[in-house]
């Protein structure tokens, strides 16, 4: 039953990941552009370059903000990692309450 739950959760995570693959890629590219625009803005002394890099940075910031649903894709990657990690873990032993009762009863009787 545990394996079925893992298959179900993993299947949903794969579907979410595949549906958010393009926004994840777009978010990564826009964050990369934003990073380089910021670095260039901080290193330049020219006013024209500062304005140009600020405009590029604002555009990249808006592009990054529009791809916020890509975070669901990153969560799906994490869920797939957890499912993969726990796939072959043994379930904890569930003790039978009647076995416990028999053991305690024998201890009380002194056997």
């Amino acid at each position: 039953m545990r394996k079925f739950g893992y298959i179900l959760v993993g299947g949903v995570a794969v579907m979410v990941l595949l549906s958010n693959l393009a926004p994840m890629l777009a978010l990564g590219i826009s964050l990369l552009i934003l990073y380089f625009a910021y670095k260039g803005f901080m290193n330049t002394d020219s006013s024209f370059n500062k304005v140009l890099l600020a405009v590029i940075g604002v555009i990249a910031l808006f592009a990054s903000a529009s791809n916020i649903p890509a975070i669901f894709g990153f969560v799906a990657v994490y869920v797939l990692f957890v499912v993969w990690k726990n796939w072959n873990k043994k379930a904890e032993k569930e003790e039978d309450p009647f076995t416990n009762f028999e053991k305690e009863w024998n201890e009380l009787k002194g056997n």
Side-chain angles (χ1 to χ4, degrees):
M1 193 64 171
R2 244 172 63 119
K3 298 268 186 180
F4 177 72
Y6 282 144
I7 289 172
L8 188 65
V9 169
V12 170
V14 165
M15 286 189 280
V16 169
L17 176 64
L18 290 177
S19 67
N20 286 314
L21 203 55
M24 288 170 63
L25 183 63
L27 179 65
I29 291 171
S30 62
L31 287 176
L32 191 66
I33 292 170
L34 182 62
Y35 172 76
F36 284 119
Y38 173 75
K39 284 295 191 182
F41 180 83
M42 296 307 281
N43 290 336
T44 190
D45 292 329
S46 169
S47 296
F48 177 74
N49 283 345
K50 281 197 182 264
V51 170
L52 181 66
L53 289 170
V55 168
I56 290 172
V58 167
I59 291 170
L61 181 67
F62 287 146
S64 298
S66 69
N67 288 312
I68 290 297
I71 293 174
F72 292 130
F74 293 118
V75 170
V77 168
Y78 176 72
V79 168
L80 282 173
F81 172 73
V82 170
V83 166
W84 176 71
K85 186 177 172 184
N86 292 328
W87 181 260
N88 284 329
K89 254 188 187 176
K90 300 242 183 207
E92 291 183 18
K93 276 179 119 178
E94 292 183 23
E95 293 187 22
D96 186 18
F98 296 110
T99 306
N100 248 356
F101 175 77
E102 291 293 328
K103 184 173 72 173
E104 291 292 326
W105 183 256
N106 287 334
E107 285 178 15
L108 286 174
K109 284 177 32 179
N111 291 341

